[in-house]
Amino acid sequence: MSQKKIFLVLVTISTVSLLLHHGGHLSWTMEAFHLGCPALRSHPAPGLKPKHTNVAFLKTHKTASTTMQNLLFRFAERNNLTVALPVQACGHQFCYPRSFTTHFVHPHTLPSNIVTSHMRFNKAETQRLMPNDTIYITILREPGSMFESLFSYYNQYCQSFKRVPNGSLEVFLEDPWRYYRPDEKDSMYARNTLTFDLGGDKDRPATDVAYARGFLAEVDRVFSLVMIAEYFDESLVLLRHLLSWDLDDILYVKLNMRTPSSKRSLSPGLPAKIRAWNSLDARLYDHFNASLWRQLSALGPACVAREVKLLRQAQERLVKSCFGGRMPLLRSAAQIKNKDLRPWQPSGKVDIVGYDLPGNLSRGFSSQAQELCLKLIMPEVQYTQVLLRTQSLHYRRGYQLRPGQQSRPLQQPIRTALPRHLQVQRSQLPPAAPGPASGTGSTSTSKPAAGSQVRTTKLGPKSSQTQASLTQK
């Protein structure tokens, strides 16, 4: 047999072996190939750019960010990464609404690859915590639907909302300054919440155009990707390309959703009033929504549409495998038997729903598969506690992180005990579980100490990385 024939036989055998080994995963790559799109790899391959594993996700409020946090938690566990978690005095958030400091980080979660719990962003302190090549990401939501969600969710916590007669959003927007107190506890939920979360001045007048433009420019420099909640799947496509992740890495289930009865439709004229009251948030959203679509256009509409389709198909297969071959039914907290899966309820006026796994899940499922299904639908507070226990156990066993993670010295040692002037009394914070969690795939928020004052934090420069619908709450 000639050398050419031998070569062709070997190529044929290798191709068949590859098809059998990769199975359905190869179809993702082939479909993308026909469109001229980047490959959707599902297994490591020589010569391909490695996955980026140092990620800071600023978890904003009422923006589907709880769903995103769950995705990052699971990615960290699959890849043996360390997630920065709060000290116990902070609950399940980094002592929000105080400006983030490394004092709030639990010592058993250092050095960290990923940070994704609620904080008020402070670039300098986050930079001290995270490796130098960290990529910064956040998520925004359309101001009208977001403010309706905030008003509904925090109605029993935010005094600016509580003092409104009959809990009427319309009444509040008629004369916001009649009810709003800028320095009051929890006031950050009542005006420009996104701006506040990003470290900006929520009460800067709308007429201060120079401040607004400067703040937008700072956010643009810091964050390599600003996701948009209304286009969650499209945002995940950009995230996958930015971080060189696989399709499997961005699968998710919607978490922390309100029931339809807990939502209210906005009457004509209200969206415009909401945008005027939250003018900085509106500027942020408009700017980064346009930016998102420019990035999607650069990737190619056909490629994006194909990846979104493949993402949704893969999610459906995963979810059906976890729920006995069918899509899961949303359940109230009272209906969920497993306490580890019960979402926190903010008040009697708002119903947050979750999921429960089938009782016969153990049949035919490995323990690893059962754990995957459990973590896929686990609420924020419980998952945070599970991660802290796991990482603390590794710490106590003398768990050694990869050498590359230990080579970056901190500018100064991280103090993990709260300084006296920043200490939070446990009576002033809700217990670590349950604690206030936000709406659909958004955030959860523990109550700050009474009368706590917050300061504006200026953002710093972004890492020199390439810059590259889930809001039914």
Side-chain angles (χ1 to χ4, degrees):
M1 186 181 292
S2 68
Q3 290 184 339
K4 183 177 181 180
K5 289 183 178 180
I6 294 174
F7 174 76
L8 290 173
V9 169
L10 290 174
V11 168
T12 302
I13 294 173
S14 299
T15 302
V16 172
S17 175
L18 181 67
L19 286 167
L20 292 173
H21 178 67
H22 288 276
H25 294 304
L26 195 63
S27 64
W28 306 341
T29 303
M30 294 305 294
E31 288 188 71
F33 174 78
H34 289 306
L35 289 167
C37 305
L40 291 171
R41 62 193 177 100
S42 293
H43 300 278
L48 289 180
K49 184 179 178 182
K51 295 180 183 182
H52 196 93
T53 56
N54 295 324
V55 179
F57 174 68
L58 179 64
K59 190 175 188 293
T60 50
H61 287 83
K62 310 306 297 175
T63 58
S65 63
T66 294
T67 297
M68 184 63 196
Q69 181 191 53
N70 179 278
L71 183 155
L72 290 169
F73 278 173
R74 288 182 285 111
F75 179 83
E77 288 198 285
R78 283 197 308 276
N79 293 277
N80 296 316
L81 305 174
T82 303
V83 180
L85 298 172
V87 293
Q88 290 180 328
C90 288
H92 64 286
Q93 305 175 14
F94 290 110
C95 284
Y96 186 89
R98 292 173 174 160
S99 183
F100 175 74
T101 169
T102 51
H103 304 158
F104 299 157
V105 181
H106 198 291
H108 294 180
T109 65
L110 297 171
S112 308
N113 302 103
I114 290 175
V115 60
T116 180
S117 297
H118 272 307
M119 66 165 72
R120 188 179 186 211
F121 190 65
N122 180 324
K123 173 62 178 181
E125 288 293 296
T126 309
Q127 198 168 41
R128 286 187 62 219
L129 171 70
M130 300 298 291
N132 292 332
D133 66 344
T134 295
I135 289 180
Y136 290 80
I137 298 162
T138 190
I139 186 168
L140 308 179
R141 183 181 176 187
E142 190 277 319
S145 61
M146 177 180 166
F147 195 74
E148 181 277 323
S149 185
L150 286 164
F151 190 88
S152 170
Y153 197 88
Y154 294 110
N155 196 270
Q156 301 302 307
Y157 294 96
C158 177
Q159 294 299 316
S160 298
F161 295 156
K162 285 185 71 174
R163 59 173 61 95
V164 179
N166 301 318
S168 170
L169 178 60
E170 290 80 1
V171 170
F172 176 85
L173 291 170
E174 281 296 322
D175 187 7
W177 285 106
R178 182 176 181 179
Y179 311 103
Y180 176 70
R181 308 288 186 272
D183 298 324
E184 194 170 55
K185 173 177 171 287
D186 290 345
S187 66
M188 64 279 177
Y189 300 129
R191 192 182 194 200
N192 288 316
T193 306
L194 293 172
T195 298
F196 182 88
D197 287 351
L198 286 160
D201 182 356
K202 64 183 174 63
D203 295 304
R204 188 61 65 111
T207 54
D208 194 342
V209 178
Y211 175 82
R213 288 175 177 169
F215 184 68
L216 279 175
E218 288 287 337
V219 175
D220 223 344
R221 281 192 289 269
V222 172
F223 292 91
S224 296
L225 175 63
V226 177
M227 303 171 66
I228 297 295
E230 285 77 18
Y231 308 106
F232 193 76
D233 289 348
E234 291 83 356
S235 296
L236 286 178
V237 169
L238 291 178
L239 177 80
R240 190 191 75 77
H241 285 270
L242 176 65
L243 301 178
S244 298
W245 285 8
D246 301 335
L247 185 67
D248 292 344
D249 295 324
I250 59 173
L251 301 181
Y252 68 91
V253 168
K254 298 178 184 180
L255 298 177
N256 217 22
M257 292 179 288
R258 291 181 293 161
T259 58
S261 61
S262 297
K263 306 171 188 176
R264 67 182 78 187
S265 59
L266 297 178
S267 58
L270 280 189
K273 290 181 178 180
I274 290 173
R275 286 179 64 90
W277 175 243
N278 298 277
S279 60
L280 286 171
D281 280 8
R283 280 179 174 268
L284 279 170
Y285 180 83
D286 292 346
H287 175 86
F288 286 105
N289 184 40
S291 174
L292 179 90
W293 286 100
R294 285 194 298 270
Q295 294 176 69
L296 291 169
S297 177
L299 187 58
C303 292
V304 172
R306 174 62 64 186
E307 287 204 29
V308 167
K309 178 183 176 182
L310 294 174
L311 167 63
R312 291 172 180 171
Q313 290 173 344
Q315 280 179 181
E316 183 175 350
R317 289 194 296 270
L318 174 61
V319 171
K320 283 184 175 180
S321 70
C322 286
F323 289 89
R326 58 182 181 273
M327 298 303 289
L329 297 176
L330 292 169
R331 299 181 182 276
S332 68
Q335 294 175 313
I336 298 175
K337 298 177 182 179
N338 187 340
K339 65 180 181 179
D340 290 333
L341 298 178
R342 293 174 191 158
W344 183 82
Q345 304 298 305
S347 72
K349 296 181 179 180
V350 180
D351 295 321
I352 304 299
V353 292
Y355 309 92
D356 211 352
L357 291 173
N360 61 351
L361 179 65
S362 58
R363 299 176 187 173
F365 271 68
S366 66
S367 58
Q368 186 177 9
Q370 292 179 52
E371 183 178 6
L372 168 64
C373 294
L374 183 70
K375 297 288 182 62
L376 187 68
I377 60 174
M378 185 172 286
E380 172 185 7
V381 175
Q382 291 94 317
Y383 206 158
T384 299
Q385 293 175 332
V386 168
L387 271 182
L388 182 57
R389 285 196 297 267
T390 300
Q391 294 183 172
S392 291
L393 181 62
H394 289 166
Y395 179 87
R396 293 189 183 103
R397 289 176 175 174
Y399 178 68
Q400 297 296 315
L401 296 174
R402 295 186 300 276
Q405 294 173 307
Q406 297 177 328
S407 62
R408 180 185 57 88
L410 294 167
Q411 295 177 8
Q412 54 184 349
I414 287 184
R415 293 171 54 193
T416 52
L418 300 185
R420 185 169 298 176
H421 70 284
L422 282 178
Q423 284 185 353
V424 183
Q425 297 298 323
R426 291 186 183 274
S427 61
Q428 294 173 313
L429 286 170
S438 10
T440 320
S442 100
T443 66
S444 76
T445 318
S446 49
K447 293 172 64 180
S452 61
Q453 298 296 314
V454 293
R455 60 182 175 86
T456 299
T457 304
K458 187 176 181 180
L459 303 177
K462 172 174 67 182
S463 167
S464 59
Q465 299 293 327
T466 304
Q467 194 152 334
S469 303
L470 180 64
T471 58
Q472 302 308 311
K473 301 165 71 170

